[in-house]
Amino acid sequence: ASIGANSRNFGATSRPLMGTAYLYNNCRIVERAARILGNTGDEKYFRELADRIHKGFNSRFFDEKTGSYESATQCSSVLPLAFGLVPKKHRQRIIDHLTHDIMVNHKGHTSVGLIGTQWQMQVLTDIGHPEVAYKIATRTEQPSWGDMINKGATTIWERWDTDTQDGGMNGESQKILSGNFEAWCYQTLGGINYDRNNPGFKHLILRPRPVGDLTWVRASHVSVYGKIVSDWKLADGNIHWRVVVPPNTTATAYIPTMSPDRIRESGKLIGQVADIQVLEKQKAATLVKLGSGQFNFTAPFKK
């Protein structure tokens, strides 16, 4: 339960909202599984059920006046964003509500419990605010992981305030409360992401997000195809990014720069490197397709 929960260990977020959000997500999972298996009857049934839940969820829980969902907590925004429940016309209002609640109302701290912790960090990256997630990650006052470390914890507490609560429900080995944070470090800071359309890291999505006061990150993951590496550092106004794509795999890499025509790989402009295909030039990143091998990118970088 989060800080401020009542004595029965229930958090502040509406339980009907959480239950309905998860029901919707489960329906979408079964719909997708049925499609993969070629079971068109089940696919249709769960698609239509999910569509009805989507409509009912927003009718029941969205407050048009405040631009927030019932309870107006961080978790009540995180779950709809994570599961795709937020209509496009309301999306920016929900994003603004969530980031304002974190940065202003809670001064850069999370207020979620176990359920929200599973999704919050990745959601903040997905909505374009990895810097807000980094703010949460680097807090050292309660409630935060840094506070636990400062108080001698070597594992994650079941509560943010385990040290001041009563003796009930105070487990001190809650991997689930740190696992998604660890994944976020690999995915957002290191930039190593899976492609859900190509399971098992057959195709990689490499997208590091330099945020806050970070000047370097070294990340690697041993996949079934071999070791994936993403090491970057900031120096002399440039980002230097070493990438290793394992054999028999490909990757889409987002090179974080606003100067696409000045990107180099091992000293050569990327347009002169046969193994690199430029896919798209965005405002803050250039997308390239890579085959297996090692690549050393250098590009101008400004935060």
Side-chain angles (χ1 to χ4, degrees), residues 68-86:
S68 63
Y69 284 101
E70 185 172 278
S71 304
T73 62
Q74 291 177 26
C75 185
S76 72
S77 296
V78 165
L79 293 184
L81 286 167
F83 298 157
L85 275 161
V86 184

Side-chain angles (χ1 to χ4, degrees), residues 179-194:
N180 288 82
F181 167 59
E182 292 174 12
W184 176 83
C185 289
Y186 281 92
Q187 294 169 339
T188 294
L189 303 185
I192 299 174
N193 294 270
Y194 60 87

